[in-house]
Amino acid sequence: LIEKMADVSLKEAALIVGVVAACYWNSLFCGFVFDDVSAILDNKDLHPSTPLKNLFQNDFWGTPMSEERSHKSYRPLTVLTFRLNYLFSELNAVSYHFLNLVFHVVVCIVFLKVCKLFLDNRSSLVAALLFAVHPIHTEAVTGVVGRAELLSSIFFLAAFLSYTKSKGPNNTIVWTPIAVTVFLVAVATLCKEQGITVVGICCVYEVFIAQGYTLPVLLDTAVQILRGKGSIPFSMLQTLLKLIVLMFSTLLLVVVRVQVIQSQLPVFTRFDNPAAVSPSPARQLTFNYLLPVNAWLLLNPSELCCDWTMGTIPLVESLLDVRNVATLTFFCFLGSLIVFSLRYPGDSSKAVLMALCLLVLPFIPASNLFFPVGFVVAERVLYVPSMGFCILVAHGWKKLSNKSVLRKISWVCLAVVLFTHALKTLHRNWDWESEYTLFMSALKVNKNNAKLWNNVGHALENEKNFERALQFFIQATQVQPDDIGAHMNVGRTYKNLNKTKEAEESYMIAKSLMPQIIPGKKYAARVAPNHLNVYINLANLIRANESRLEEADQLYRQAISMRPDFKQAYISRGELLLKMNKPLKAKEAYLRALELDRTNADLWYNLAIVYIELKDPTEALKNFNRALELNPTHKLALFNSALLMQESGDARLRPEAKQRLLHYVKEEPQDANGYFNLGMLAMDDKKDVEAETWMKKAIRLQPNFRSALFNLALLYSQTAKELMALPVLEDLLRYYPDHTKGLILKGDILMNQKKDIVGAKMCFEKILELDPNNVQGKHNLCVVYFEERDLIKAEKCLVETLALAPHEEYIQRHLNIVRSKIASLSATEQLSPPADGTVTAAATEKKNSLQNLKEVKTEQKNTQTTLENNKQYSKNKKQTQKNKIDKETPKKSTKEMKDIEKKRVAALKRLEEIERILNGE
């Protein structure tokens, strides 16, 4: 490329760099807007974890080309540059905009080189400067997705420059430049589809510029050959050979491109391009009228708009429409230029011809002449055609400036045009600062486009300004009453405002606008994928009502019947079926979705949740692992698979569980649940200091974290730091005054460590206020009565406790001991306990405390699986299944049975201790 720019001087290059920098410096302060969101922010192909091969299997937006919802825009090399941006700066918009600016500079310099093939140096520089500052380019340069135009243009121009080297001495063919041209055409096409049109420009250049033919000469030669009065000249045969090679290569590229899109055209709605679905003659008249509209944007870029779809340009439905005059004028002017360039020899006609080629041929893919496109007018597709326009302007300026009378005026006009265009470009860049500024600027130009009203609403919605967003969405429905998407937006916003009735009404309106069932018709070809979300949204709304679950399921099935490859419908239905306690059917739904997309980590995650419901933790863990293979940073899979490993009780899995939780807290540093479960793992491994650190971190993030507070207090009590546990328990009981086990633990510590019998008594009495049938609390209160030397009250208390738990032998035995003690004391008329009674009572409570610790230990185990109220496990866009791991099951696990047995052993030990104390041993 450097070699080909040898004729561009350093001063000219520096001037272009300075002018571009002056016009586009403020683009560096813009964010990701409009199509950037889908192409950059939501595109997984940018992530290093995504295999590179996916770039060549998916479209520009990251959707597999095999899916019907794909836009079929195949630009893997452009996506590759986005990926490189992501590698160096992730989602820092500055780097993306800076690279676009650099690419625009390169295009301007290469374009200058091309201009010098047909214009003098001064006119070439004028053309390049006009191209550099033209406001029509802001969408291509300042909009990040416009990089497709920039990259394609670089290789487009490079391919043309290479082809100009294919003519050797004595009109011989030099094949190397032709091979390079074919390669560069392929690269340009992989950046954006219009790159292939450079082949047409090369053909025109070969015939009319390189060989110097004019249309009359070609016609005369053809007539002579047909009459048999002459043969085809050798030079013409060589030209034909070169053209055949070019055309064959082009045909091969077209075949490959058709194979890539699998012979399917993208599905667009009538809102994207109303003329495409209009009857004749409105279709033809409108498409023809769009040509002078585009030409006017090049000539007078004063009112620019980022979106020209829907009702922006009303259909031309009649021959009597006055706009047809503009169409006729445009074609007359264009025709006169074509005739002039093809009929007459000379440098002027050659310059005009090449300008027309650059103006017309690259625009053909966007012209709707051969296939419908998803827009009415798009400013960024004028990036390459504007090169031809700039050459025409520069050539015309040269003609004027050569006349002495008009020389000064031509220079003044040129200066004014360049200055005003540069100023407009600089000002226009600020419109791309945010989505709100972009779409509000568009509404100033066009208020008849419902999509713009919707997009302003989306921008406000992203800022959580739902009330104002609703106003714009409602305005969109008024501008375009049959816009399904607008009614869906209204419904969604009402839902966000907790107005479910109004939300359902809006969704029902949107649903009524959907195509009706026609037997034998293929709905997928007539229904835009995003419009099918009306069924999903409506079902998601009504399923909040437990009595309408079947109705919601019917909506999901209706969406699937209209589009069997609608993956999201299977995902949402699987979630609903789990809620309906139909895990086997949910499993079927997720397996069907996986048939459509086996690379979706969320689907494997959801399937893991189903296996948890089916009580199959082994399969669940396998599916969690599969999700993490596809997406190592899948937060829910990291968290829940770690919990599953932790709950398995297998010590061999603890190190991996710990690693996943560490990865999780790295991804979600503000989620206290991750630190809490790390603390639980450390407690299981008897790493008390580490457990304390994790628990404290969880509590710092969430001061009212119930389970973390209790287990930290429990940890202190187990490690002989009972007095440190008291302030933690105070915090716990301040947030949760009815925390029974916390009250028990606090009472034990007050009794054994603080010797605060009154405080302990208050704890146990509080437990009985909350739950009069709490055996443990009541039994501990009995011990308090004994500690208070009130044996009569202790006896009555134990009788009541035995009635609550008649099968607990230790209560009966304690009752017998107390009665024996009462009898003994009555016989000796000594109603006070022995001198060492306080000590023995304290020892009793120490054993009692041990019993309580064993009891509360069950909460330590349970808290690993009772996080349902602490964290919401749902995703906004993927709608992944809510975490079901934390669901408590009514049946006791083997681990719980072991805990119960431990508690019984502890109770027997305490029984022996109490018996020893009461018997005065």
Side-chain angles (χ1 to χ4, degrees):
L1 194 60
I2 294 173
E3 181 181 343
K4 294 183 181 302
M5 293 191 295
D7 292 342
V8 176
S9 70
L10 187 60
K11 289 182 179 180
E12 291 172 330
L15 177 61
I16 288 175
V17 171
V19 168
V20 171
C23 288
Y24 286 99
W25 64 269
N26 57 338
S27 68
L28 300 179
F29 299 97
C30 297
F32 295 115
V33 298
F34 204 13
D35 290 339
D36 297 347
V37 175
S38 300
I40 308 295
L41 300 183
D42 299 339
N43 193 346
K44 292 182 179 179
D45 288 347
L46 272 63
H47 301 169
S49 58
T50 303
L52 274 175
K53 66 177 183 179
N54 284 25
L55 272 65
F56 295 89
Q57 295 173 347
N58 298 343
D59 66 13
F60 188 51
W61 317 99
T63 306
M65 295 291 289
S66 57
E67 293 190 13
E68 195 159 6
R69 64 189 178 94
S70 168
H71 278 209
K72 312 301 180 186
S73 46
Y74 189 64
R75 304 161 192 173
L77 296 187
T78 303
V79 179
L80 182 61
T81 65
F82 292 151
R83 185 169 173 136
L84 291 174
N85 270 119
Y86 188 92
L87 184 64
F88 287 106
S89 63
E90 293 194 351
L91 295 176
N92 182 1
V94 174
S95 71
Y96 293 80
H97 288 293
F98 178 75
L99 197 53
N100 271 25
L101 193 152
V102 170
F103 286 145
H104 183 52
V105 169
V106 174
V107 173
C108 292
I109 294 174
V110 181
F111 176 57
L112 175 59
K113 169 64 180 173
V114 171
C115 290
K116 290 190 174 188
L117 296 175
F118 316 109
L119 300 173
D120 58 52
N121 285 342
R122 189 172 63 182
S123 301
S124 297
L125 187 59
V126 168
L129 289 174
L130 180 58
F131 180 80
V133 304
H134 203 295
I136 202 72
H137 299 155
T138 50
E139 184 170 341
V141 181
T142 309
V144 177
V145 294
R147 186 177 299 177
E149 315 290 337
L150 306 175
L151 282 174
S152 180
S153 298
I154 291 173
F155 295 107
F156 179 101
L157 295 174
F160 177 69
L161 286 173
S162 176
Y163 187 80
T164 61
K165 306 291 184 182
S166 64
K167 181 180 177 181
N170 300 320
N171 207 25
T172 56
I173 301 175
V174 184
W175 289 106
T176 301
I178 294 177
V180 172
T181 296
V182 172
F183 171 75
L184 291 173
V185 170
V187 173
T189 305
L190 290 175
C191 294
K192 191 176 181 184
E193 298 78 0
Q194 69 182 26
I196 201 170
T197 59
V198 71
V199 173
I201 296 175
C202 290
C203 291
V204 173
Y205 172 83
E206 177 65 31
V207 175
F208 296 101
I209 309 298
Q211 301 302 326
Y213 294 120
T214 60
L215 190 58
V217 171
L218 289 176
L219 291 175
D220 185 60
T221 303
V223 170
Q224 295 297 326
I225 293 171
L226 290 173
R227 291 179 178 177
K229 294 183 179 180
S231 60
I232 302 176
F234 180 72
S235 60
M236 191 172 288
L237 287 173
Q238 286 186 310
T239 301
L240 285 173
L241 179 60
K242 292 170 73 174
L243 296 182
I244 288 170
V245 170
L246 274 179
M247 298 306 293
F248 178 78
S249 303
T250 305
L251 183 62
L252 187 62
L253 286 173
V254 170
V255 169
V256 171
R257 183 68 174 81
V258 170
Q259 288 297 316
V260 167
I261 67 172
Q262 301 184 1
S263 303
Q264 294 178 340
L265 288 175
V267 178
F268 297 117
T269 68
R270 58 192 175 86
F271 303 112
D272 297 321
N273 190 349
V277 295
S278 299
S280 298
R283 176 189 176 109
Q284 291 74 19
L285 291 175
T286 304
F287 283 157
N288 284 313
Y289 172 67
L290 294 180
L291 299 177
V293 169
N294 282 279
W296 181 250
L297 286 175
L298 290 173
L299 192 62
N300 178 29
S302 59
E303 293 187 339
L304 299 178
C305 182
C306 62
D307 193 300
W308 295 79
T309 56
M310 304 188 83
T312 304
I313 300 177
L315 295 174
V316 182
E317 298 180 302
S318 169
L319 291 171
L320 300 177
D321 193 312
V322 70
R323 290 174 292 174
N324 290 320
V325 175
T327 305
L328 186 61
T329 303
F330 171 78
F331 277 108
C332 288
F333 181 70
L334 183 65
S336 63
L337 289 177
I338 292 173
V339 169
F340 169 77
S341 61
L342 293 177
R343 185 171 182 179
Y344 302 104
D347 293 339
S348 181
S349 60
K350 290 179 181 179
V352 171
L353 179 61
M354 293 313 299
L356 289 174
C357 287
L358 284 168
L359 183 65
V360 174
L361 295 180
F363 184 74
I364 288 176
S367 65
N368 289 283
L369 293 177
F370 299 104
F371 48 82
V373 293
F375 53 84
V376 179
V377 172
E379 291 166 12
R380 63 175 174 263
V381 303
L382 294 174
Y383 189 77
V384 176
S386 68
M387 295 178 185
F389 171 78
C390 291
I391 291 176
L392 281 177
V393 172
H395 183 61
W397 173 82
K398 174 189 171 184
K399 294 289 187 183
L400 291 175
S401 63
N402 285 340
K403 297 180 180 180
S404 58
V405 180
L406 301 175
R407 182 175 291 115
K408 289 184 179 181
I409 296 177
S410 64
W411 277 100
V412 170
C413 290
L414 176 64
V416 169
V417 168
L418 292 177
F419 178 75
T420 54
H421 277 49
L423 204 60
K424 172 67 176 178
T425 298
L426 188 66
H427 181 265
R428 173 66 171 156
N429 288 332
W430 289 121
D431 291 341
W432 293 80
E433 184 178 10
S434 68
E435 294 212 317
Y436 180 77
T437 56
L438 179 64
F439 297 125
M440 285 302 290
S441 70
L443 280 177
K444 293 176 184 177
V445 176
N446 170 33
K447 290 182 171 58
N448 296 321
N449 186 341
K451 190 174 178 181
L452 294 175
W453 293 98
N454 280 321
N455 285 334
V456 175
H458 287 310
L460 292 168
E461 188 179 30
N462 291 336
E463 297 173 359
K464 307 299 181 185
N465 192 345
F466 298 122
E467 292 284 358
R468 194 152 170 246
L470 182 62
Q471 298 174 10
F472 282 87
F473 289 142
I474 291 175
Q475 182 63 34
T477 63
Q478 294 172 354
V479 171
Q480 189 88 37
D482 57 351
D483 182 5
I484 297 173
H487 290 287
M488 289 169 61
N489 292 335
V490 172
R492 185 181 63 256
T493 310
Y494 273 130
K495 182 183 178 183
N496 289 332
L497 291 170
N498 296 319
K499 297 181 179 181
T500 54
K501 181 181 178 182
E502 292 86 347
E504 184 174 348
E505 289 174 356
S506 297
Y507 284 139
M508 291 301 293
I509 294 173
K511 182 172 174 285
S512 69
L513 295 171
M514 292 291 288
Q516 300 302 308
I517 296 177
I518 303 175
K521 288 286 185 180
K522 186 179 180 184
Y523 301 109
R526 302 185 296 111
V527 181
N530 60 320
H531 285 171
L532 279 174
N533 283 323
V534 67
Y535 295 99
I536 306 299
N537 295 348
L538 181 57
N540 291 344
L541 181 70
I542 66 175
R543 61 188 266 185
N545 185 339
E546 294 289 337
S547 65
R548 302 181 70 182
L549 297 183
E550 289 292 345
E551 186 181 346
D553 187 36
Q554 176 63 31
L555 287 167
Y556 291 135
R557 283 185 279 135
Q558 188 173 355
I560 291 170
S561 69
M562 296 186 75
R563 195 177 186 95
D565 65 344
F566 192 20
K567 180 176 60 183
Q568 189 58 52
Y570 293 106
I571 295 173
S572 298
R573 185 168 185 247
E575 182 184 349
L576 175 68
L577 290 168
L578 271 180
K579 187 176 182 179
M580 296 170 71
N581 199 25
K582 298 179 180 179
L584 288 175
K585 287 189 175 182
K587 177 182 172 183
E588 291 177 9
Y590 287 133
L591 289 174
R592 179 70 183 92
L594 281 168
E595 290 176 12
L596 299 170
D597 183 6
R598 297 191 68 80
T599 62
N600 189 321
D602 293 323
L603 286 175
W604 292 103
Y605 168 81
N606 290 352
L607 189 58
I609 299 299
V610 171
Y611 279 115
I612 289 173
E613 288 294 307
L614 292 172
K615 306 296 187 292
D616 191 346
T618 303
E619 280 300 315
L621 189 56
K622 287 181 182 178
N623 285 282
F624 278 138
N625 291 340
R626 179 64 175 153
L628 290 170
E629 287 173 13
L630 293 168
N631 181 7
T633 61
H634 195 291
K635 298 171 188 176
L636 295 178
L638 284 169
F639 184 82
N640 289 309
S641 63
L643 256 62
L644 195 60
M645 291 175 176
Q646 189 176 359
E647 282 300 295
S648 70
D650 189 344
R652 294 171 299 178
L653 294 177
R654 287 179 190 165
E656 177 61 24
K658 181 178 180 181
Q659 289 303 313
R660 294 190 181 187
L661 285 172
L662 286 171
H663 195 168
Y664 175 78
V665 297
K666 182 180 178 182
E667 295 292 325
E668 285 287 342
Q670 298 303 312
D671 184 7
N673 290 282
Y675 302 105
F676 167 72
N677 282 283
L678 281 166
M680 297 305 300
L681 271 176
M683 287 181 73
D684 289 342
D685 289 334
K686 310 300 181 185
K687 297 178 180 178
D688 299 331
V689 175
E690 182 181 337
E692 180 184 355
T693 301
W694 291 124
M695 290 295 181
K696 284 183 174 179
K697 191 154 190 176
I699 293 168
R700 277 199 299 271
L701 289 171
Q702 188 178 330
N704 64 341
F705 197 153
R706 178 184 175 118
S707 299
L709 287 166
F710 176 78
N711 281 284
L712 179 59
L714 180 62
L715 177 66
Y716 284 142
S717 67
Q718 288 178 326
T719 54
K721 298 177 182 177
E722 290 90 345
L723 295 181
M724 293 178 66
L726 274 179
V728 179
L729 287 169
E730 293 291 346
D731 288 340
L732 172 67
L733 295 171
R734 186 172 70 253
Y735 290 117
Y736 309 101
D738 58 347
H739 195 289
T740 302
K741 294 187 183 298
L743 288 166
I744 289 174
L745 184 56
K746 182 182 177 182
D748 286 341
I749 295 172
L750 290 174
M751 176 75 74
N752 296 324
Q753 303 300 319
K754 301 282 286 185
K755 310 302 181 184
D756 183 357
I757 298 174
V758 175
K761 184 178 182 180
M762 291 175 62
C763 289
F764 300 137
E765 287 176 342
K766 176 68 174 177
I767 293 171
L768 295 179
E769 287 178 16
L770 297 170
D771 180 11
N773 297 323
N774 188 294
V775 175
Q776 186 178 0
K778 194 165 185 66
H779 181 271
N780 289 355
L781 184 61
C782 299
V783 176
V784 170
Y785 292 149
F786 178 80
E787 187 72 16
E788 291 177 335
R789 306 178 185 182
D790 192 341
L791 297 180
I792 301 301
K793 202 168 187 179
E795 178 191 21
K796 181 182 177 183
C797 178
L798 284 168
V799 169
E800 293 172 353
T801 307
L802 185 63
L804 294 174
H807 302 295
E808 294 290 352
E809 293 181 6
Y810 73 92
I811 300 176
Q812 180 65 60
R813 195 175 302 172
H814 293 174
L815 178 60
N816 292 338
I817 291 172
V818 170
R819 284 174 173 172
S820 175
K821 190 69 175 176
I822 292 173
S824 174
L825 291 174
S826 298
T828 60
E829 295 183 352
Q830 295 178 355
L831 298 178
S832 60
D836 62 344
T838 302
V839 176
T840 55
T844 302
E845 280 307 303
K846 186 171 183 180
K847 287 298 179 180
N848 184 38
S849 176
L850 175 63
Q851 166 70 10
N852 287 334
L853 288 178
K854 292 295 182 180
E855 291 288 337
V856 296
K857 181 65 176 177
T858 59
E859 174 151 344
Q860 175 194 352
K861 301 301 181 183
N862 289 339
T863 47
Q864 300 177 32
T865 58
T866 55
L867 298 176
E868 193 165 28
N869 294 328
N870 296 328
K871 181 174 176 67
Q872 294 181 356
Y873 299 102
S874 61
K875 297 179 71 178
N876 292 336
K877 294 190 178 180
K878 301 298 181 182
Q879 297 188 29
T880 54
Q881 175 64 35
K882 182 178 178 183
N883 174 23
K884 296 292 183 180
I885 289 179
D886 50 18
K887 183 176 180 182
E888 294 184 359
T889 55
K891 295 183 180 179
K892 290 184 172 56
S893 65
T894 304
K895 192 174 183 181
E896 289 171 329
M897 295 298 291
K898 289 180 180 178
D899 286 341
I900 292 172
E901 185 60 30
K902 287 180 181 178
K903 285 186 281 185
R904 291 187 181 281
V905 171
L908 289 174
K909 288 183 179 179
R910 191 181 69 165
L911 172 62
E912 293 171 0
E913 181 69 14
I914 291 177
E915 288 173 351
R916 185 181 66 80
I917 293 170
L918 295 180
N919 288 327
E921 297 179 4

